[in-house]
Amino acid sequence: MKIYNTLSREKEEFIPLMEDKVRIYACGVTVYDYCHIGHARSAIVFDVIRRYLKHKGFHVTYIRNFTDIDDKIINRANQEGITWDTVAGKYTDEYYRDMDRLGVGRADAEPKATEYIQEMIDIVKGLVEKGFAYEADGSVYFSVDTFSGYGKLSKRDPEEMIAGARVEVDERKKNPLDFALWKKSKEGEPFWESPWGLGRPGWHIECSAMSLKHLGESFDIHGGGADLLFPHHENEIAQSEAFTGKPFARFWIHNGFITIDKEKMSKSLGNFFTIREVLDTFDPEVIRLFLLSTHYRSPIEFSDEQLHESETSIDRYYSTIMRINDFLEKDYNVKNDFSNSGKIFKDLLFSFRDRFGEAMDDDFNTALALGHIFEIIREANRFLDHKPSGTKDRELLLLTKELLSEAGSVLNIFDRTPHEWYLSLMKIKKIGLSEQDILEKISERQDARQKKDWGSADAIRKELEEKGIILEDKKDRTDWKIKVG
RNA sequence: GGCGGCGUACCCAAGUGGCAAGGGAGAGGUCUGCAAAACCUUUAUGCAGCGGUUCAAAUCCGCUCGCCGCCUCCA
């Protein structure tokens, strides 16, 4: 399998450092506010990467951290007149609420920066002793000049960066690119004791400390949003490799941004939607499908229209499952051969696992994988149109369900029954009726239909349709669905 | 200014040397009491533009145009 490695800017064959074990560290969030849909993308991308590697049989250790001490948290606490750890605690809880709803699994460990203060201090101390860092006025800085590989991830030349005017000038730094490993705490700020006095950790050092602790000096995959590439990940490499003398992460994976009007969604631009806002109008599965229908490295333009299309796609899956279920419920005559259309469908179905795997093996190409999934859905419908019959045909449709659900489990979609899907839509779309109400209307309409009173029957259907409920007449009954798109 | 990415149909989107996936929208049709769903047909001799390399280019190279990102906190 191939993974695009930011370090080489190429797709590389992925071979874990330890036989069948894969160790992944992904940068999580700073818990100072509700998460927006961009955070959801990153979380879902790495969730799928982890699920797929497991699916392939790797033993995966996945670590995702929380930054729970930081300027933004402190500012927020000051604004609201509460303590910094109350802020961090609150938004950690909110983060879990959003992620649970989105079907993002918990990592194997979810360390918080403040639980690793001692480990961070040990690394900083080591870096000072080895001459990679220096103390200045109670703070400790990493000396970029001492680390020859500085810039290898972001492909930047330190000399040229200094020329760029946007690097903040700090008198205490030997080189403007030097970054804080340990920050002296100001009056009223949270602090921990250290060999350099009272202070708190710099931002980058936490990931070095926590990955070292949980995954060791060298591990397989380090990931995060593309905006972390520089300076965060560049600095992590410098600190970690200077400290251990060993290569840090083998593969660097960066997910692309979500855009609004082609511009990056971000807190500072104010053009963001929180996860919970989007969850108000769309089912979590719809959001997952939307985010996975574009390759993880490409930007995704956030739009209502696209979300509606994803909703239609998910509905297409559940409608097809309903059709298959209807077919499987029926009596069948025992016949052991495939029908003609069965033979054609069989070939496509039997090759599905390979094609799905091929797509995912190619740098987690979920968009292509979904293409294969929807091809199966189309062909299954076509097969059903051709009046399948007999045991062999039945088996094909059972296999269809199995394959779709297996592929879905990697993406963590398709895990409900059609009925559950429609009940969820009923809530989200605020249909004013209960299922009981709908069933009563249906039965009322059935009576009218028996009497061939088409006028009344159509009136009931129209009435329901105006409320967002679609009726589907079948041979022996009428099913209801929620209108999508 | 430095570095990087992107531009594929009406819309979204895969495709990195060999017949342009998949979905949505539109139009027409089959099925149906009528619908819905589903299926079928239809929509790029064409991949921002112009050159070049090659038997062969969306794909490789060069230039041009347009959009975006990073270089400061960011998923």
Side-chain angles (χ1 to χ4, degrees):
Chain A
M1 96 181 263
K2 291 205 154 114
I3 299 180
Y4 181 88
N5 189 351
T6 311
L7 206 50
S8 63
R9 306 283 159 120
E10 275 172 3
K11 281 184 198 170
E12 290 177 43
E13 190 59 34
F14 178 69
I15 299 158
L17 294 165
M18 294 158 76
E19 192 84 38
D20 56 353
K21 289 196 166 77
V22 179
R23 290 167 291 170
I24 309 176
Y25 185 95
C27 288
V29 294
T30 301
V31 278
Y32 75 106
D33 203 349
Y34 296 112
C35 287
H36 60 64
I37 199 77
H39 298 107
R41 182 180 195 188
S42 191
I44 287 171
V45 162
F46 289 100
D47 186 55
V48 167
I49 288 176
R50 179 243 215 143
R51 281 172 200 273
Y52 183 63
L53 290 169
K54 272 190 158 174
H55 173 79
K56 274 186 82 84
F58 289 112
H59 181 270
V60 181
T61 306
Y62 175 48
I63 311 296
R64 186 183 49 206
N65 72 297
F66 285 105
T67 298
D68 65 343
I69 181 66
D70 156 276
D71 287 347
K72 291 192 293 286
I73 296 172
I74 295 169
N75 289 342
R76 184 90 190 202
N78 290 340
Q79 270 168 29
E80 297 191 8
I82 48 180
T83 60
W84 64 272
D85 50 329
T86 310
V87 172
K90 176 182 174 190
Y91 291 107
T92 302
D93 292 346
E94 301 293 355
Y95 171 87
Y96 279 129
R97 237 175 66 184
D98 290 340
M99 293 303 155
D100 289 350
R101 288 174 74 192
L102 287 174
V104 172
R106 301 288 169 111
D108 296 299
E110 308 194 320
K112 298 182 169 99
T114 55
E115 292 165 354
Y116 293 79
I117 300 289
Q118 191 53 53
E119 284 82 353
M120 289 189 247
I121 288 173
D122 291 343
I123 295 173
V124 177
K125 232 157 72 181
L127 287 170
V128 173
E129 278 160 18
K130 290 177 185 177
F132 288 107
Y134 55 92
E135 189 206 337
D137 188 29
S139 291
V140 183
Y141 297 93
F142 186 89
S143 174
V144 166
D145 296 327
T146 62
F147 185 73
S148 61
Y150 197 76
K152 68 181 174 184
L153 179 68
S154 55
K155 306 283 182 264
R156 285 182 162 82
D157 180 349
E159 299 282 317
E160 281 171 11
M161 273 193 282
I162 296 167
R166 296 178 73 184
V167 181
E168 167 199 351
V169 181
D170 186 330
E171 297 286 291
R172 292 165 296 189
K173 290 182 184 176
K174 290 182 182 167
N175 179 323
L177 295 180
D178 290 352
F179 55 90
L181 295 166
W182 186 262
K183 294 162 103 162
K184 180 182 180 174
S185 62
K186 293 180 202 135
E187 196 58 35
E189 281 184 351
F191 58 82
W192 286 263
E193 282 184 25
S194 81
W196 315 281
L198 302 181
R200 59 190 169 96
W203 172 35
H204 317 295
I205 195 69
E206 65 179 77
C207 291
S208 292
M210 295 186 284
S211 62
L212 179 64
K213 181 92 175 187
H214 288 275
L215 299 175
E217 293 174 333
S218 301
F219 54 94
D220 301 293
I221 296 172
H222 193 126
D227 42 7
L228 298 181
L229 214 156
F230 188 89
H232 184 54
H233 289 159
E234 193 68 62
N235 291 353
E236 270 187 62
I237 292 176
Q239 303 157 19
S240 296
E241 296 193 348
F243 180 67
T244 66
K246 306 269 170 52
F248 188 44
R250 269 276 295 128
F251 280 80
W252 287 85
I253 298 182
H254 292 96
N255 66 273
F257 302 126
I258 292 186
T259 58
I260 303 254
D261 293 329
K262 299 262 171 106
E263 272 189 326
K264 178 186 170 185
M265 178 184 288
S266 76
K267 276 278 163 64
S268 44
L269 285 168
N271 59 348
F272 62 89
F273 291 92
T274 60
I275 292 169
R276 57 196 54 199
E277 259 177 299
V278 183
L279 280 169
D280 269 350
T281 23
F282 293 99
D283 184 276
E285 198 173 340
V286 170
I287 299 174
R288 275 186 90 96
L289 187 81
F290 166 68
L291 294 176
L292 295 173
S293 55
T294 298
H295 185 89
Y296 76 86
R297 280 188 280 121
S298 305
I300 301 182
E301 173 75 9
F302 183 85
S303 82
D304 237 46
E305 195 193 334
Q306 289 308 312
L307 279 160
H308 277 112
E309 273 189 25
S310 297
E311 187 177 80
T312 303
S313 294
I314 295 282
D315 191 63
R316 189 165 155 76
Y317 166 78
Y318 284 114
S319 293
T320 303
I321 293 299
M322 241 163 102
R323 271 194 90 185
I324 295 177
N325 288 344
D326 285 351
F327 172 79
L328 293 174
E329 273 171 22
K330 283 196 303 203
D331 291 337
Y332 59 100
N333 35 347
V334 181
K335 209 172 35 165
N336 260 335
D337 250 349
F338 287 116
S339 60
N340 274 342
S341 52
K343 281 176 198 150
I344 300 164
F345 183 46
K346 185 191 88 177
D347 290 340
L348 186 82
L349 210 53
F350 283 15
S351 65
F352 172 73
R353 269 199 186 101
D354 286 347
R355 282 177 298 132
F356 180 80
E358 226 173 84
M360 292 299 285
D361 275 351
D362 185 9
D363 196 27
F364 310 106
N365 194 337
T366 53
L368 180 58
L370 284 166
H372 295 322
I373 285 174
F374 283 98
E375 190 185 14
I376 290 292
I377 288 174
R378 186 192 61 214
E379 292 305 316
N381 274 309
R382 200 228 287 257
F383 179 50
L384 284 163
D385 277 357
H386 282 83
K387 308 238 180 303
S389 63
T391 48
K392 287 281 185 188
D393 282 355
R394 258 179 87 82
E395 278 164 25
L396 281 187
L397 287 161
L398 283 166
L399 179 63
T400 303
K401 280 178 69 171
E402 191 186 313
L403 289 174
L404 288 175
S405 130
E406 180 186 313
S409 75
V410 171
L411 307 176
N412 202 15
I413 54 176
F414 303 162
D415 57 346
R416 290 175 286 181
T417 62
H419 186 239
E420 287 169 327
W421 160 246
Y422 290 114
L423 288 179
S424 165
L425 283 182
M426 204 155 113
K427 261 194 210 150
I428 285 167
K429 294 184 178 288
K430 300 176 182 68
I431 306 294
L433 298 174
S434 68
E435 188 181 13
Q436 193 53 44
D437 295 335
I438 297 170
L439 293 176
E440 276 164 24
K441 290 279 177 197
I442 287 176
S443 126
E444 199 180 308
R445 177 166 169 275
Q446 284 297 55
D447 291 343
R449 292 184 75 217
Q450 293 273 298
K451 293 179 222 149
K452 296 209 189 305
D453 178 1
W454 306 126
S456 308
D458 290 352
I460 291 170
R461 185 169 55 202
K462 196 168 175 221
E463 178 196 337
L464 288 175
E465 194 187 340
E466 276 160 9
K467 292 181 169 153
I469 297 143
I470 300 286
L471 297 187
E472 283 192 11
D473 292 333
K474 313 230 165 137
K475 262 209 178 86
D476 51 351
R477 65 169 194 282
T478 297
D479 283 340
W480 63 273
K481 292 163 82 165
I482 302 296
K483 198 176 175 178
V484 296

